[in-house]
Amino acid sequence: MILDGKKIAAEIRGELREQIEALRAAGKRAPKLAIVIVGHNPASETYVANKIKACAEVGIEAEKIAFESEVTETELLAEVQRLNNDPAIDGFIVQLPLPEHICETKILTAIDYRKDVDGLTPENVGRTVQGLPSIISATPRGIRELLARYNIPTEGKHVVVIGRSNIVGKPVALLLMQRPYLSLPGMSASSLGDATVTICHSKTQDLASICRTADIIIVAAGSPKLLTAEMVKPGATIVDVGINRVDDPASPKGYRLVGDVDFEHVEPIAGAITPVPGGVGPMTIVSLLQNTLQAYDLKFDI
Ligand code: NDP
């Protein structure tokens, strides 16, 4: 079975549109997301354009705030403080990567966690660890939602996560091992969580044997064809987070996007698998929209 992130993301956008129309019908303002972008990295510009388009589709107001790459860290921190204090902004993100002269950690940790719709601040991660209301980073939230919508249970399952980044590997592992009390407003299937999780990385020994014991494998390494058919137990669920450019003279762009899974050989033995593109990517963007509505709605009174 193909886990069709594009289709599920479209369904969720439809639901969000209805929820936001209902807010407007009740005389309330629309949620508002601000996106800060620095410089002219083409990939970042595409991601930001896609996020703004997705906001428009569901009725979230979006504001792009662009800085030239010469902006100083102090100026960017001042903008973060301005957005933290602006009551008209429900949530904002700072598109990564930032130029080298700006410390990403300094910028991210300056964001008020209640507006941190990327879910990357230490407060949000720490609150997630403790099961307090928090905003979960978009890709892990999207993965959990995709599994939920395809009724793939995680309770008692062995989940192997390949990758230990702060953006994907660590938070997705945390989310799937949690007690289900972490269910959030607007999130389906509160039964998700309760998995037994193994986290692997580049120093892991005998990755293949570990993977063969997995009911669910989540690969977020950034390495094409890292997960091969020999590493997969028949019937396992495979979630491919990787986005890699590989040369392809047949494509007009000269390259194509592939994940971290040897899809051609893994797909026939997997019980369920996400394609790249069209799997986790669209779920990540729609999760950002869900997080924005959550920031608009959620009262962090703990
Ligand atoms: P990072 O580079 O921050 O982390 C990669 C992780 O994978 C590291 O922990 C690294 O181990 C591990 N790793 C790398 N190679 C191997 C290997 N051969 N065996 C075992 N572990 C390995 O990447 P991100 O987490 O930010 O992103 C991962 C991928 O997901 C990228 O392709 C990225 O483009 C994509 N991505 C996709 C998103 C989407 O929406 N679909 C969203 C975010 C990312 P170590 O820690 O030891 O170095």
Side-chain angles (χ1 to χ4, degrees):
M1 172 173 59
I2 298 292
L3 302 175
D4 187 344
K6 206 171 162 190
K7 185 183 109 198
I8 300 294
E11 263 173 45
I12 297 173
R13 283 199 302 276
E15 293 164 14
L16 285 170
R17 196 178 310 122
E18 281 177 18
Q19 288 168 33
I20 292 165
E21 272 167 14
L23 287 173
R24 301 305 304 274
K28 296 185 180 158
R29 66 172 178 84
K32 183 167 179 186
L33 172 73
I35 304 180
V36 177
I37 179 168
V38 179
H40 299 278
N41 176 326
S44 293
E45 285 187 333
T46 306
Y47 290 139
V48 169
N50 288 342
K51 288 169 186 175
I52 290 173
K53 186 168 154 250
C55 283
E57 272 179 50
V58 302
I60 290 177
E61 214 183 306
E63 182 184 350
K64 177 177 163 185
I65 302 168
F67 288 93
E68 290 302 328
S69 43
E70 294 76 31
V71 68
T72 65
E73 195 175 87
T74 311
E75 286 166 331
L76 204 55
L77 281 170
E79 181 62 14
V80 167
Q81 286 313 335
R82 189 189 71 75
L83 292 167
N84 281 342
N85 296 327
D86 184 346
I89 303 286
D90 298 293
F92 64 99
I93 63 171
V94 179
Q95 185 68 42
L96 302 179
L98 293 172
E100 275 185 9
H101 67 277
I102 298 175
C103 171
E104 285 184 358
T105 308
K106 256 194 202 170
I107 301 297
L108 293 182
T109 53
I111 298 173
D112 184 328
Y113 74 92
R114 291 163 294 196
K115 294 192 175 189
D116 165 32
V117 285
D118 258 346
L120 296 178
T121 57
E123 284 90 342
N124 268 319
V125 177
R127 292 173 73 88
T128 306
V129 169
Q130 298 197 347
L132 297 172
S134 64
I135 300 177
I136 293 165
S137 59
T139 303
R141 181 174 181 159
I143 292 170
R144 187 175 120 145
E145 188 69 39
L146 190 63
L147 294 174
R149 300 244 175 179
Y150 276 97
N151 294 314
I152 296 174
T154 55
E155 184 184 331
K157 302 293 179 194
H158 183 206
V159 175
V160 168
V161 177
I162 308 179
R164 56 176 164 180
S165 72
N166 288 338
I167 296 178
V168 189
K170 276 192 264 185
V172 79
L174 173 65
L175 201 58
L176 296 182
M177 61 73 83
Q178 281 282 16
R179 292 209 178 100
Y181 62 71
L182 196 63
S183 168
L184 293 168
M187 207 177 233
S188 59
S190 62
S191 63
L192 274 171
D194 276 339
T196 304
V197 179
T198 303
I199 305 176
C200 301
H201 45 76
S202 67
K203 305 290 185 290
T204 298
Q205 291 185 9
D206 204 358
L207 182 65
S209 303
I210 297 171
C211 287
R212 275 195 292 272
T213 67
D215 303 303
I216 299 172
I217 304 176
I218 298 173
V219 204
S223 176
K225 296 196 180 177
L226 172 63
L227 191 82
T228 57
E230 300 71 46
M231 299 165 79
V232 173
K233 179 168 80 175
T237 296
I238 310 298
V239 177
D240 189 354
V241 185
I243 302 176
N244 308 291
R245 274 187 186 192
V246 293
D247 292 340
D248 182 1
S251 150
K253 290 179 182 161
Y255 69 86
R256 69 194 154 88
L257 296 180
V258 298
D260 290 349
V261 176
D262 180 3
F263 187 89
E264 184 191 346
H265 298 107
V266 171
E267 191 265 335
I269 57 166
I273 185 166
T274 61
V276 177
V280 175
M283 293 302 296
T284 297
I285 293 193
V286 85
S287 299
L288 175 69
L289 307 181
Q290 289 177 301
N291 279 348
T292 304
L293 187 57
Q294 186 190 329
Y296 174 98
D297 270 345
L298 190 62
K299 302 285 167 276
F300 288 86
D301 27 349
I302 311 174

